[in-house]
């Protein structure tokens, strides 16, 4: 049994070293990353999480085929109150948070105050301020504002190397607009002679784009500081898109309960990024200090489930889509053949779903002109 073997994994490890050098061999960043690995491996509970995910909105402008926004949907959406968000940033930074990411289940670019929140986090001394984004909401002016605010990392999801494939998977998107925006993040950074934001471009490999992986890597090697490719996981759409050649054989202790915590847009707090259905609420940041939630009864219970290997007995762990919470092995030829047989048998249904989604309203034009 072994950890999940990531496509392009060795290159990504080399990229991490290059990034550290570009940071000027920043000792604070190195210590933060060392702690990130240490706390999980040695069952060390810090007084405060190293990382906070602050959800600025649950809303999304796209309806991707492998995402809850494209399947069951998110019933209630809104935008985080700016004063509350800033209070979370300040409380976190002064408590010991070293990294903040401004999203969870939604698209952070939909919040027009995003650059202001980034600026506040940097002013409070947060080492790593980042976002995951589909890249579509941004304009040149907003990209420049984010860079000027001091954002450290922009992680762009782009599940295809061609317009046809990408727009089938990321329904409501615009391939040309995204390519333009990624290049703007790079070109404006270079024009300003900055080393940051570091740009990561990532693909979820699935049946529809598996033959474009090589082209994807080639496409972005001169622009991206890091390229990540991982196999699709089940977030409510089932396994009809799966093409991976690794199979889970059991569970392993998850790192997240020792590293991070999520503050939802409404102030409710959750233990990890995989609890999209909000099944295990551990506190309310509008009523209880984050430090108390982090060391409280529910978070302690979750760590105990991890220690005793009981992940399959409880939500949200039993249906986790985080690849590192499983043991993996390579599939046999017979298992690959069976996988392909199932995909072939389901191809008509998968095609129908993709066609229906592709015929949906162009959500990018609905949100942005």
């Amino acid at each position: 049994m072994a950890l999940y073997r990531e496509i392009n994994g060795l290159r990504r490890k080399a990229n991490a070293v290059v990034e550290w050098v570009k940071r000027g061999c920043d000792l604070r960043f190195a210590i933060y990353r060392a702690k990130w690995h240490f706390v999980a491996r040695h069952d060390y509970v810090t007084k405060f999480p190293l990382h906070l995910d602050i959800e600025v909105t649950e809303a999304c402008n796209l309806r991707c085929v492998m995402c809850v926004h494209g399947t069951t949907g998110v019933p209630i959406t809104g935008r985080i109150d700016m004063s509350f968000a800033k209070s979370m940033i300040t409380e976190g930074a002064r408590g010991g948070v070293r990294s903040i990411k401004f999203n969870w289940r939604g698209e952070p670019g939909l919040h027009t105050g995003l650059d202001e929140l980034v600026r506040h986090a940097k002013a409070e001394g947060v080492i790593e301020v980042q976002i995951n984004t589909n890249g579509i909401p941004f304009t040149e002016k907003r990209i420049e504002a984010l860079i000027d605010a001091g954002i450290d990392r922009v992680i762009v999801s782009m599940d295809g190397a061609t317009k046809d494939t990408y727009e089938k998977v990321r329904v409501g998107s615009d391939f040309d607009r995204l390519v333009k925006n990624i290049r703007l993040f790079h070109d404006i950074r270079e024009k300003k002679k900055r080393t940051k934001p570091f740009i990561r471009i990532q693909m979820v490999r699935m049946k529809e784009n598996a033959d474009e992986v090589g082209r994807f890597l080639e496409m972005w090697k001169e622009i991206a500081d890091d390229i990540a490719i991982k196999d699709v996981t089940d977030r409510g759409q089932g396994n009809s898109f799966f093409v991976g050649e690794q199979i889970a054989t059991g569970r392993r202790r998850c790192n997240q309960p020792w590293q991070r915590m999520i503050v939802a847009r409404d102030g409710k707090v959750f233990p990890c990024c995989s609890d999209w259905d909000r099944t295990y609420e551990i506190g309310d940041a509008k009523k209880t200090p984050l430090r108390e939630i982090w060391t409280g009864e529910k978070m302690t219970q979750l760590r105990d489930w991890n220690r005793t290997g009981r992940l399959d007995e409880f939500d949200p762990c039993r249906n986790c889509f985080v690849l590192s919470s499983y043991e993996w092995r390579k599939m046999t030829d017979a298992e690959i053949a069976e996988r392909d047989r199932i995909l072939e048998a389901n191809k008509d249904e998968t095609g129908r779903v993709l066609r229906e989604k592709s015929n949906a309203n162009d959500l990018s034009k609905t949100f942005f002109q």
Side-chain angles (χ1 to χ4, degrees):
M1 294 190 294
L3 287 168
Y4 175 80
R5 294 188 63 182
E6 186 177 345
I7 301 164
N8 202 39
L10 289 176
R11 178 70 258 176
R12 294 199 66 208
K13 290 179 180 178
N15 290 343
V17 175
V18 172
E19 178 185 318
W20 186 60
V21 172
K22 287 183 177 180
R23 287 177 179 270
C25 301
D26 185 349
L27 186 58
R28 289 180 69 228
F29 181 79
I31 292 172
Y32 149 59
R33 294 308 297 172
K35 283 184 177 179
W36 179 263
H37 297 293
F38 178 87
V39 295
R41 290 173 183 166
H42 299 282
D43 194 3
Y44 182 78
V45 181
T46 55
K47 293 180 180 179
F48 213 90
L50 293 169
H51 174 88
L52 273 185
D53 294 277
I54 298 177
E55 181 182 57
V56 296
T57 181
E58 313 97 322
C60 190
N61 53 310
L62 305 185
R63 299 294 180 263
C64 303
V65 299
M66 67 295 188
C67 175
V68 67
H69 284 284
T71 53
T72 58
V74 176
I76 301 173
T77 62
R79 289 193 287 186
I80 199 168
D81 176 75
M82 288 292 287
S83 60
F84 172 65
K86 287 182 177 180
S87 72
M88 290 296 94
I89 294 167
T90 299
E91 183 180 348
R94 296 178 185 181
V97 161
R98 298 292 178 259
S99 171
I100 289 178
K101 186 182 285 185
F102 286 114
N103 55 277
W104 180 23
R105 300 167 300 159
E107 167 51 50
L110 297 180
H111 199 302
T112 54
L114 182 61
D115 60 302
E116 186 178 341
L117 295 177
V118 170
R119 184 175 289 105
H120 183 72
K122 294 309 296 183
E124 288 287 352
V126 178
I127 297 172
E128 175 107 300
V129 180
Q130 53 191 315
I131 57 170
N132 279 81
T133 177
N134 59 48
I136 296 299
F138 297 107
T139 61
E140 183 172 355
K141 182 178 179 180
R142 291 191 68 198
I143 289 170
E144 185 166 13
L146 274 177
I147 292 174
D148 287 342
I151 193 164
D152 295 286
R153 190 183 309 278
V154 175
I155 304 168
V156 184
S157 297
M158 183 181 185
D159 302 309
T162 63
K163 182 178 178 68
D164 182 61
T165 298
Y166 167 77
E167 292 182 359
K168 280 182 180 178
V169 173
R170 292 197 161 257
V171 178
S173 193
D174 182 329
F175 180 86
D176 297 322
R177 180 184 179 115
L178 177 58
V179 170
K180 176 183 176 182
N181 281 351
I182 292 172
R183 292 186 178 278
L184 279 171
F185 270 108
H186 174 270
D187 293 349
I188 293 172
R189 181 189 71 180
E190 297 302 300
K191 182 180 178 180
K192 291 177 176 290
K193 302 187 185 307
R194 307 273 183 88
T195 58
K196 295 184 285 188
F198 294 104
I199 300 167
R200 180 196 302 171
I201 306 176
Q202 57 190 27
M203 170 194 275
V204 175
R205 187 178 70 150
M206 60 188 80
K207 184 174 68 173
E208 282 63 40
N209 62 19
D211 61 346
E212 296 184 3
V213 169
R215 184 172 178 176
F216 186 85
L217 291 168
E218 185 68 22
M219 179 180 184
W220 293 114
K221 67 179 184 180
E222 302 298 330
I223 297 291
D225 299 286
D226 187 24
I227 304 174
I229 300 172
K230 295 184 179 180
D231 290 315
V232 66
T233 53
D234 185 357
R235 301 192 184 194
Q237 82 283 354
N239 290 320
S240 57
F241 302 107
F242 180 70
V243 292
E245 295 182 355
Q246 299 175 76
I247 189 169
T249 58
R251 302 302 299 272
R252 64 186 298 124
R253 197 179 79 174
C254 181
N255 293 337
Q256 293 201 25
W258 283 266
Q259 296 169 330
R260 72 197 299 172
M261 200 162 62
I262 284 81
V263 179
R265 188 264 308 171
D266 60 3
K268 307 300 184 185
V269 182
F270 298 88
C272 67
C273 64
S274 70
D275 193 9
W276 277 42
D277 293 326
R278 296 168 51 122
T279 60
Y280 193 74
E281 181 184 322
I282 60 174
D284 187 336
K286 293 184 177 180
K287 298 177 181 179
T288 308
L290 292 174
R291 184 188 299 272
E292 291 182 21
I293 298 173
W294 176 247
T295 57
E297 181 180 350
K298 282 200 163 185
M299 200 65 185
T300 300
Q301 178 66 75
L302 187 67
R303 294 186 188 106
D304 285 341
W305 291 338
N306 271 268
R307 292 183 185 106
T308 55
R310 301 174 64 196
L311 298 183
D312 287 330
E313 298 179 30
F314 306 97
D315 289 326
C317 302
R318 78 173 92 228
N319 296 314
C320 182
F321 56 71
V322 177
L323 298 171
S324 60
S325 73
Y326 294 86
E327 298 279 2
W328 297 85
R329 67 167 172 79
K330 185 174 174 59
M331 296 172 74
T332 65
D333 290 342
E335 288 168 334
I336 292 173
E338 177 64 10
R339 177 207 67 192
D340 292 343
R341 185 193 68 76
I342 293 172
L343 289 174
E344 180 66 23
N346 292 335
K347 73 176 183 178
D348 291 340
E349 175 63 15
T350 302
R352 181 188 66 78
V353 171
L354 287 171
R355 285 193 298 275
E356 286 182 358
K357 290 180 179 294
S358 294
N359 289 333
N361 291 333
D362 187 339
L363 296 168
S364 65
K365 291 179 181 177
T366 301
F367 279 87
F368 317 104
Q369 298 298 329

